[in-house]
């Protein structure tokens, strides 16, 4: 077991509602732990030390999910714990108030992962529950996605500071979390969006405040070609997010010039990588050739949801002694532990 120089954990018992809830050093620690967990899991499909034995989480999902649900559930099982998936039938606020749900669940389980429409619901859950609440996507943010995405970029480029991520499409929940986390970690996050589909101003203000310490630039425009030129990565997401289905037709018209295709990628440059949080709508925001092409990091991003969220669960829930213990590495210090965020 080789000791790793990591900051003391300060995440124990905390909520993760926004990508702005974590400092750069907290993210670095999380990424180092995720690197270790990923290496161990890939080598053996097992973890020698079940750090979450006896721990349970509840997963309150008011929207469908493949990745978020399966990675949290599988992650808890792989770490020796258990996750309970609660479908939309446990309607928050209809069958039972959010307050009552929170104050029952915190007597049963050690944390709650919630996917809701309005962001205010996860804020209220967190205010009422005595256990950590993790945002598994709201209309405002998707912090777990942004963490996995920037972890993927750190793996690929060996650094984060100075990278340029060009987001093409809607100034939505995924963009918001990427902008906040990018600002914290020194990644320039650009956005090309149609008129009327820009981000929430409060998020941009917060991201600008965070960027003051890292020098990250937030750039906006309406011309995708201009925004992607010279970017390290071109990122896109659905034109219509969950909960906006009634607007799908008008959104399809507004976003038609914002498709990520081979021509746009060529404009970005020969080294530009491609990202998408999934689920994708092939032929709409992204073409199949780009999605399945050699520059795609999309499946890495998806896999990394598992490793990064497991690291998050350990930081939030493991016994103090286990959290304070630096991630062990059978083969010596994990490579990324020396990588600056
Ligand atoms: N990217 C993501 O959150 O996927 P799911 O909606 O399938 O969870
Ligand atoms: N913006 C998309 C992300 C899905 C993971 C949505 O909210 O539906």
């Amino acid at each position: 077991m080789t000791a790793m120089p990591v900051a003391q954990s300060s995440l124990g018992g905390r909520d993760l509602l926004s990508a702005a809830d974590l400092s750069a050093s907290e993210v670095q620690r999380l990424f180092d732990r995720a690197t270790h967990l990923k290496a161990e899991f890939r080598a053996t499909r097992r973890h020698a030390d079940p750090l979450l034995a006896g721990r349970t989480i509840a997963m309150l999902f008011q929207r469908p999910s493949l990745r978020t649900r399966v990675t949290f559930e599988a992650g808890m099982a792989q770490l020796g714990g258990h996750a309970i998936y609660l479908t939309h039938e446990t309607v928050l606020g209809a069958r039972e108030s959010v307050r009552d749900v929170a104050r029952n669940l915190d007597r049963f389980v050690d944390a709650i992962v919630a996917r809701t429409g309005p962001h205010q619901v996860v804020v209220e859950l967190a205010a009422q529950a005595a256990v950590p609440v993790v945002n598994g996507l709201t209309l405002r943010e998707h912090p777990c996605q942004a963490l996995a995405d920037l972890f993927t970029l750190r793996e690929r480029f060996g650094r984060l500071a100075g990278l340029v991520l060009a987001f093409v499409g809607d100034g939505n929940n995924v963009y918001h979390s990427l902008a906040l986390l990018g600002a914290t970690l020194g990644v320039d996050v650009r956005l090309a969006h149609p008129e009327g589909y820009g981000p929430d101003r409060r998020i941009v203000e917060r991201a600008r405040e965070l960027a003051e310490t890292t020098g990250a630039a937030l750039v906006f425009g309406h011309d995708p070609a201009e925004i992607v030129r010279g970017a390290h990565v071109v990122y896109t997401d659905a034109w219509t997010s969950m909960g906006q289905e009634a607007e799908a037709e008008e959104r399809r018209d507004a976003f038609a010039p914002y498709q990520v295709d081979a021509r746009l990628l060529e404009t970005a440059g020969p080294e530009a990588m491609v990202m998408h949080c999934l689920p994708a709508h092939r032929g709409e925001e992204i073409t199949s050739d780009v999605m399945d092409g050699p520059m795609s990091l999309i499946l890495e991003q998806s896999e990394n949801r598992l490793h990064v969220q497991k690291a998050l669960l350990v930081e939030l829930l493991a016994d103090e002694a286990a959290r304070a213990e630096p991630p062990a590495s059978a083969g010596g210090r994990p490579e990324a532990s020396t990588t600056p965020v």
Side-chain angles (χ1 to χ4, degrees):
M1 194 182 289
T2 308
M4 245 177 52
V6 280
Q8 281 299 302
S9 172
S10 52
L11 293 189
R14 291 226 320 246
D15 299 314
L16 176 65
L17 304 186
S18 164
D21 290 345
L22 300 173
S23 68
S25 64
E26 287 165 351
V27 177
Q28 170 147 9
R29 180 185 167 95
L30 204 59
F31 285 2
D32 288 347
R33 191 177 287 286
T35 300
H36 164 69
L37 289 170
K38 180 173 182 174
E40 188 185 36
F41 188 71
R42 279 201 155 189
T44 62
R45 308 293 289 182
R46 296 274 185 286
H47 293 297
D49 194 2
L51 290 172
L52 298 184
R55 298 299 162 111
T56 309
I57 65 168
M59 307 202 5
L60 270 174
F61 275 43
Q62 294 187 298
R63 298 273 190 269
S65 169
L66 175 72
R67 283 148 290 273
T68 309
R69 176 187 176 170
V70 176
T71 51
F72 270 113
E73 284 199 30
M76 279 302 285
Q78 290 159 14
L79 290 165
H82 183 67
I84 301 163
Y85 181 71
L86 299 160
T87 66
H88 60 279
E89 281 150 30
T90 320
V91 185
L92 276 171
R95 183 171 184 265
E96 205 164 354
S97 72
V98 173
R99 181 174 188 266
D100 287 345
V101 171
R103 289 159 65 108
N104 277 262
L105 283 179
D106 70 10
R107 295 188 176 227
F108 310 147
V109 301
D110 301 301
I112 300 168
V113 178
R115 169 168 286 199
T116 66
H119 189 73
Q120 192 48 37
V121 177
V122 294
V123 172
E124 195 184 340
L125 263 177
Q128 298 296 340
V131 296
V133 172
V134 174
N135 177 353
L137 180 145
T138 63
L139 271 166
R140 187 179 166 97
E141 277 210 52
H142 199 1
C144 296
Q145 182 68 52
L147 283 167
D149 295 341
L150 293 201
F151 177 78
T152 305
L153 288 181
R154 191 179 86 153
E155 271 186 326
R156 179 54 60 136
F157 291 93
R159 69 189 165 101
L160 283 174
L163 294 185
V164 177
L165 182 153
F167 191 102
V168 178
D170 193 12
N172 65 10
N173 45 9
V174 172
Y175 164 78
H176 287 158
S177 291
L178 285 169
L180 291 167
L181 199 64
T184 301
L185 301 177
V187 177
D188 290 357
V189 178
R190 302 180 188 165
L191 173 65
H193 67 89
E195 296 269 11
Y197 294 97
D200 185 317
R201 275 203 203 128
R202 289 161 304 170
I203 298 267
V204 175
E205 274 167 31
R206 182 73 189 112
R208 288 217 156 104
E209 282 167 16
L210 292 167
E212 276 171 23
T213 50
T214 59
L218 286 134
V219 178
F220 302 93
H222 298 307
D223 178 0
E226 204 176 290
I227 287 290
V228 302
R229 198 163 285 120
H232 295 93
V233 57
V234 177
Y235 197 120
T236 191
D237 181 17
W239 292 339
T240 300
S241 286
M242 290 179 276
Q244 299 172 330
E245 289 78 6
E247 303 168 21
E249 206 176 311
E250 88 195 47
R251 283 175 167 269
R252 218 171 279 129
D253 293 342
F255 285 99
Y258 290 80
Q259 184 182 69
V260 174
D261 58 12
R263 213 167 116 189
L264 189 67
L265 198 57
E266 205 175 300
T267 307
E271 307 287 319
M273 309 298 298
V274 178
M275 295 180 102
H276 191 308
C277 57
L278 302 177
H281 308 82
R282 291 169 183 260
E284 289 194 14
E285 74 272 8
I286 191 164
T287 55
S288 279
D289 57 332
V290 166
M291 203 174 148
D292 303 327
M295 305 314 277
S296 175
L297 287 176
I298 293 171
L299 289 176
E300 266 81 1
Q301 283 174 265
S302 179
E303 178 185 336
N304 284 334
R305 295 289 304 275
L306 176 70
H307 309 301
V308 171
Q309 286 161 200
K310 278 159 76 173
L312 176 68
L313 289 165
V314 169
E315 293 292 327
L316 294 178
L317 299 180
D319 291 334
E320 190 116 5
R323 273 189 275 124
E325 184 91 359
S329 169
R333 184 190 275 193
E335 206 183 303
S337 67
T338 52
T339 308
V341 169

